[in-house]
Amino acid sequence: MKLVIVTSVEAFQKDVLKLFKNANIHNLSSSDIDGYKNGSSVLMASSWFPGQKFGDESRLFFSFTEDENIDALFNLIKEFNATVETKNAVRAVVVPIEKFI
């Protein structure tokens, strides 16, 4: 069992959920996040005017799943990224799990 973490811009939320489903990953969690391209944006976010938003609205998805599902998900993400014209590709990483209950 491994932990797969996927990030995307908010606009791709429905697409990413379909990718998880097509990879046979039905149990997952997600959270709203702000994405930043460089350190200066982070500094601007802590400005005197906290009501201003400088990050991109993004989503973080994660799931504990098996290797074969992760392989399928990565292949689907590669295919998806090849079809969209954006600098904000869907990103994914895998973290091995040493113990779980």
Side-chain angles (χ1 to χ4, degrees):
M1 179 170 289
K2 295 184 180 175
L3 171 63
V4 62
I5 302 170
V6 177
T7 60
S8 75
V9 292
E10 184 73 29
F12 293 153
Q13 178 179 354
K14 288 181 181 178
D15 298 305
V16 172
L17 289 172
K18 286 180 189 174
L19 296 175
F20 271 91
K21 181 179 179 183
N22 292 340
N24 204 30
I25 301 173
H26 302 287
N27 298 318
L28 63 122
S29 299
S30 69
S31 181
D32 293 327
I33 59 173
D34 290 330
Y36 299 95
K37 288 277 185 191
N38 60 41
S40 63
S41 293
V42 174
L43 293 175
M44 286 190 291
S46 62
S47 70
W48 290 100
F49 306 103
Q52 292 179 327
K53 191 168 182 114
F54 295 98
D56 293 319
E57 291 183 8
S58 302
R59 299 289 299 176
L60 180 133
F61 304 87
F62 61 96
S63 179
F64 296 95
T65 192
E66 302 302 325
D67 287 343
E68 60 271 8
N69 297 340
I70 293 172
D71 292 340
L73 179 64
F74 270 62
N75 288 332
L76 291 166
I77 290 172
K78 284 179 190 176
E79 291 173 13
F80 177 81
N81 284 341
T83 65
V84 295
E85 293 183 24
T86 179
K87 293 182 180 181
N88 296 317
V90 175
R91 306 281 185 208
V93 298
V94 176
V95 181
I97 304 299
E98 291 183 29
K99 293 182 182 183
F100 66 93
I101 297 176

